[in-house]
C-alpha cells in the first residue's frame, strides 16, 4: 500500500494546523510524522505549508526514510524522524517546528535548563521540582552528521532537543502526547526567553 492510511494523514493534517495557529511553522518550515506500522512512517512531503496540508501532502517512507509513495519527495529532515523511531522504540509520533523562542534561545545557550515550572509534568515529571535539560545541537545541512551529533543526547534520555537557530524536535507514544509535549516545551521556552528579558 503506497499511500498513508487516512487516519494517519488526518492526524498529521490536524497537527500541522495546530502548529501553524501557534506560529511554529512559518513558510514551509517543520515536519510531522506518525509510525503507522513496523517500518512504515507517514510524514509530510518536502516543501509544503504545514498549516495548509491535504492528504496529497502526506507520504509513506520506510524505516530508512526512503519514499514509498510515488511522486512525492520526503523532507531532508526525514532522517531525524527515522532516527527517533529507531532509537526510541516507544515513539509513535514526531513533531518538528521552527518557533521564535527555540530559534533565539538556541543561539545564546548550549543547553536549555527548565526548572520550577508546573508544566514540566507534561514530560512525566512527578512535580515541578525537577530539572529538565534540553540539549542544543549545532545546525548542519548534512542530516546523517546531524543525527550522529544528536544520538548521545538521545541515549542519555533527552526529552526533546533544539537545533541551533533552527527549531525543536519533540516526540511521543501518540500524536496527542507528542503535541502536548511540544506545547509544553514551547511554553517553557517562551517563559525562559521572557525571564532573560527581565533579568
Ligand atoms: Zn527544520
Amino acid at each position: 500500500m503506497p499511500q498513508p492510511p487516512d487516519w494517519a494523514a488526518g492526524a498529521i493534517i490536524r497537527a500541522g494546523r495546530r502548529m501553524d495557529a501557534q506560529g511554529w511553522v512559518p513558510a514551509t518550515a517543520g515536519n510531522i510524522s506518525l509510525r503507522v506500522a513496523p517500518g512504515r512512517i507517514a510524514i509530510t512531503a518536502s516543501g509544503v505549508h504545514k498549516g495548509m496540508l491535504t492528504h496529497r501532502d502526506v507520504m509513506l517512507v520506510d524505516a530508512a526514510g526512503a519514499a514509498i509513495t510515488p511522486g512525492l519527495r520526503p523532507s531532508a529532515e526525514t532522517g531525524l524522524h527515522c532516527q527517533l523511531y529507531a532509537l526510541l522504540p516507544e515513539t509513535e509520533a514526531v513533531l518538528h517546528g521552527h518557533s521564535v523562542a527555540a530559534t533565539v534561545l538556541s543561539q545564546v545557550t548550549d543547553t536549555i535548563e527548565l526548572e520550577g515550572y508546573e508544566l514540566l509534568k507534561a514530560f512525566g515529571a512527578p512535580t515541578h521540582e525537577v530539572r529538565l535539560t534540553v540539549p542544543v545541537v549545532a545546525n548542519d545541512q548534512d542530516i546523517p552528521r546531524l543525527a550522529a551529533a544528536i544520538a548521545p543526547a538521545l541515549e542519555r534520555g533527552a526529552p526533546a532537543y533544539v537545533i541551533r537557530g533552527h527549531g525543536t524536535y519533540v516526540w511521543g507514544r501518540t500524536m496527542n502526547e507528542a503535541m502536548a509535549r511540544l506545547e509544553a516545551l514551547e511554553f517553557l521556552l517562551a517563559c525562559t526567553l521572557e525571564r532573560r528579558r527581565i533579568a
Side-chain angles (χ1 to χ4, degrees), residues 77 96 98 166:
E77 287 178 57
H96 166 56
H98 296 191
H166 178 164

Side-chain angles (χ1 to χ4, degrees), residues 30 43-48 50 53 56-59 72-75:
I43 189 164
T44 45
S46 179
V48 295
K50 306 308 170 301
L53 293 169
R56 289 186 300 280
D57 300 321
V58 181
M59 64 185 300
L72 288 175
R73 197 161 51 88
S75 152

Side-chain angles (χ1 to χ4, degrees), residues 12-187:
I12 286 171
I13 291 167
R14 285 192 297 278
R17 287 190 192 131
R18 209 155 147 188
M19 290 169 75
D20 181 41
Q22 301 291 335
W24 297 336
V25 283
T28 58
N31 32 66
I32 303 164
S33 71
L34 258 178
R35 176 151 46 193
V36 300
R40 290 290 177 274
I41 298 159
I43 189 164
T44 45
S46 179
V48 295
H49 195 292
K50 306 308 170 301
M52 294 181 273
L53 293 169
T54 70
H55 283 246
R56 289 186 300 280
D57 300 321
V58 181
M59 64 185 300
L60 276 185
V61 298
D62 67 16
I68 294 170
T69 306
L72 288 175
R73 197 161 51 88
S75 152
E77 287 178 57
T78 298
L80 300 181
H81 290 244
C82 294
Q83 176 187 35
L84 288 165
Y85 292 117
L87 278 183
L88 308 171
E90 281 197 335
T91 298
E92 298 293 342
V94 176
L95 298 170
H96 166 56
H98 296 191
S99 68
V100 170
T103 302
V104 172
L105 268 179
S106 62
Q107 285 178 311
V108 296
T109 184
D110 288 332
T111 57
I112 299 168
E113 306 288 344
L114 303 170
E115 193 172 16
Y117 291 110
E118 179 69 14
L119 252 185
L120 288 169
K121 290 181 185 172
F123 289 89
T127 79
H128 63 283
E129 293 167 317
V130 295
R131 173 183 289 216
L132 207 69
T133 300
V134 178
V136 176
V137 294
N139 199 9
D140 194 334
Q141 302 304 322
D142 182 323
I143 298 301
R145 199 165 57 197
L146 181 53
I150 294 161
L154 296 180
E155 279 152 15
R156 284 196 302 271
Y161 64 84
V162 179
I163 307 173
R164 178 161 294 126
H166 178 164
T168 50
Y169 267 86
V170 181
W171 51 91
R173 290 166 294 187
T174 62
M175 181 61 90
N176 283 346
E177 183 178 77
M179 185 59 76
R181 289 179 167 214
L182 178 65
E183 290 184 355
L185 178 66
E186 290 293 354
F187 176 89

